């Protein structure tokens, strides 16, 4: 016997009585509520968890689940309130979901069988007259769509995959469909209704405020009273006394459709649900429940974000002062003449021995070009040596940071270390900076990035030496001005700057030349200033070794107010529902 299409209370086929839905104004959600949910969806989508904390996988799964709920149910429903109610037929393996759906419609629209898993792709069946209202629903991308006159107008039946399917993709799709549903029909059997899965699903529906019904399939006649009584007691114990319960008798092994009389009560109930007022009531109830259920979900997400922020604060504490020791050592090494050791000292020795350009009387005008060229070569050695010293200081700072992160038990450290292992190929143009960074992680990252690269900082220091050389000539001491002029004629302006820089870097022969040409103590202030500048720059380079780690922690997802935005969205929603 083929079931007839469900009828309205007036006796006509469902969907044939009353005005067409295209002839009446479609109800719409308030713009403020739609905007609030859209804003929440945007911020949830942007939420990331950069640090590998213990529960980050759980938080990410919840974030994806929340996005599915917003994308598949709430937003489509708010945008089109008159769209059919999505009725998802769900259950565990072998419960008979596909057979039930086929029997309700009187024809096979969804493959049923004994081989597992049967339903590989969900099937959504709707009344042809509802096609327009479902045209933009996001679920259409993951289901096979069938238009069938037997579906009451105002609902769309979805045959979902098994919740406990052998295939993970099936299980994931089934849960996604449940989140998108306006109404759940949970199908189980007399043999398996006591399993944990049915009750986990029903409890979840209750928490969400989702409308639902339960179909107990394959009930033996002899056990009908006992099973029904036990099941009703379980429903009452969970506060689910209002959940409709349908019993389908056990017909033994069979193929094809169930007898129309077995599914007639479900058909009548669906026909009642499909009525415009009742369908909207079901939709509104589930919508209110879904909106209310957002609160703990978003709260959990905000807590997960706050855990990331707190972890960032802990990691900043770990690395905050760790570079001060290498910074002090680098500065002291610069003051102690480390920059002049090695190539610089060797270059001076070569240039000043025998008939080298720096040998002999420095006042000789005939050898001025040679001296200028020799000091230019020394300046190149100074630039290289200073660059190497600054790079070494930066490496010392980086090693200190890596060592501290490797030794700490602060959560999230492994994520920063993993980020530090990746080469940095791009970055903002650095400029010279003085002083240690303070403030938020973002401020610190920006401040450290403003510290010049070693080669650039070395060049800046030599430019500072040129400025000091120019200031020597501003002295009010006429005798000293004459001596400075004589030195400038002997080596040129750049040569004076190189001698000052070499003396500041710890090259004693350069200090001796300055004393001989300018008089004892004449250049001490300039040299001392350059020495301190060199030491400060060396310390800065060591401190900048923390920059990559701070940059890893400077993400917007770890900002102090990262969780506040989600809580603000939730507060707005609370005021609207």
């Amino acid at each position: 016997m083929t079931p007839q299409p469900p009828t309205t209370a007036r006796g006509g086929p469902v969907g044939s009585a009353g005005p067409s839905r295209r002839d009446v104004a479609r109800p719409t959600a308030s713009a403020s509520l739609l905007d609030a949910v859209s804003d929440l969806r945007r911020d949830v989508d942007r939420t990331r968890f950069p640090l590998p904390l213990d529960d980050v996988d759980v938080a990410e799964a919840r974030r994806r689940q929340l996005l599915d709920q917003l994308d598949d149910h709430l937003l489509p429903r708010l945008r089109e309130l008159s769209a059919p109610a999505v009725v998802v037929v769900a259950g565990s393996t072998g419960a008979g979901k596909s057979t039930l759906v086929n029997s309700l419609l009187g024809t096979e629209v969804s493959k049923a069988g004994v081989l597992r898993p049967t339903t590989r792709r969900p099937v959504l069946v709707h009344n042809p007259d509802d096609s327009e209202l479902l045209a933009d629903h996001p679920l259409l991308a993951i289901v096979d769509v069938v238009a069938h006159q037997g579906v009451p107008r105002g609902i769309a039946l979805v045959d979902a995959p098994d919740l406990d399917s052998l295939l993970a993709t099936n299980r994931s799709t089934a849960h996604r469909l449940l989140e998108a549903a306006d109404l759940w029909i949970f199908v189980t059997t007399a043999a398996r209704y006591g399993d944990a899965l049915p009750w986990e699903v029903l409890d979840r529906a209750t928490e969400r405020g989702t409308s639902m019904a339960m179909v107990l399939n394959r009930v033996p006649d002899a056990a009908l009273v006992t099973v029904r009584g036990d099941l009703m007691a379980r429903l009452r114990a969970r506060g689910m006394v209002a959940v409709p319960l349908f019993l389908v008798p056990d017909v033994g092994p069979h193929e094809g459709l169930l007898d129309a009389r077995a599914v007639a009560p479900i058909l009548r109930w669906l026909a009642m649900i499909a009525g415009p007022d009742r369908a909207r009531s079901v939709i509104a109830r589930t919508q209110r429940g879904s909106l209310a259920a957002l609160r703990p979900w978003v709260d959990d997400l905000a807590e997960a974000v706050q855990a990331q922020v707190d972890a960032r604060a802990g990691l900043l504490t770990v690395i905050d002062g760790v570079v001060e020791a290498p910074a002090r050592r680098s500065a002291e090494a610069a003051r102690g003449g480390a920059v002049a050791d090695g190539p610089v000292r060797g270059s001076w020795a070569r240039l000043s021995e025998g008939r080298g350009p720096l040998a002999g009387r420095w006042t000789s005008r005939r050898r001025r070009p040679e001296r200028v060229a020799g000091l230019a070569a020394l300046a190149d050695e100074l630039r290289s040596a200073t660059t190497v010293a600054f790079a070494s200081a930066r490496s010392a700072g980086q090693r200190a940071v890596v060592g501290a992160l490797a030794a700490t038990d602060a959560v999230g450290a492994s994520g920063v270390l993993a980020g530090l292992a990746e080469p940095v190929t791009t970055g903002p143009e650095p400029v010279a900076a003085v002083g240690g960074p303070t403030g938020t992680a973002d401020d610190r990252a920006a401040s450290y990035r403003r510290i010049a690269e070693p080669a650039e900082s070395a060049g800046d220091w030599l430019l500072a030496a040129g400025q000091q050389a120019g200031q020597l000539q501003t002295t009010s001491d006429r005798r000293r001005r004459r001596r400075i002029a004589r030195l400038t004629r002997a080596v040129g302006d750049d040569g004076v700057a190189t001698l000052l820089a070499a003396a500041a870097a710890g090259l004693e022969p350069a200090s001796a030349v300055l004393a001989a040409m300018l008089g004892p103590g004449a250049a001490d202030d300039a040299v001392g200033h350059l020495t301190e500048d060199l030491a400060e720059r060396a310390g800065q380079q060591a401190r900048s070794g923390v920059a990559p780690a701070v940059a890893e922690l400077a993400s917007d997802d770890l900002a102090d107010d990262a969780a506040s935005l989600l809580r603000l969205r939730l507060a707005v929603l609370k005021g609207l529902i």
Side-chain angles (χ1 to χ4, degrees), residues 242-292:
V243 173
L245 174 62
F246 300 98
L247 303 179
V248 178
D250 186 11
V251 296
H254 76 286
E255 293 183 2
L257 308 179
L258 297 171
D259 189 283
R261 291 171 296 181
V263 297
I266 306 174
L267 272 172
R268 287 193 295 271
W269 179 74
L270 286 173
M272 179 183 66
I273 289 295
D277 293 339
R278 184 60 67 90
R280 288 180 189 172
S281 175
V282 168
I283 289 169
R285 178 172 183 260
T286 299
Q287 179 180 295
R288 287 193 301 270
S290 296
L291 287 168

Side-chain angles (χ1 to χ4, degrees), residues 107-140:
T107 186
E108 184 174 294
V109 294
S110 184
K111 182 181 179 182
V114 295
L115 296 179
R116 299 289 111 195
T118 298
T119 306
R120 293 183 179 274
R121 185 172 168 87
V123 177
L124 183 148
V125 195
H126 66 86
N127 189 284
D129 290 336
D130 283 335
S131 297
E132 179 185 345
L133 296 175
L134 283 167
D136 298 324
H137 202 293
L139 285 184
L140 299 191

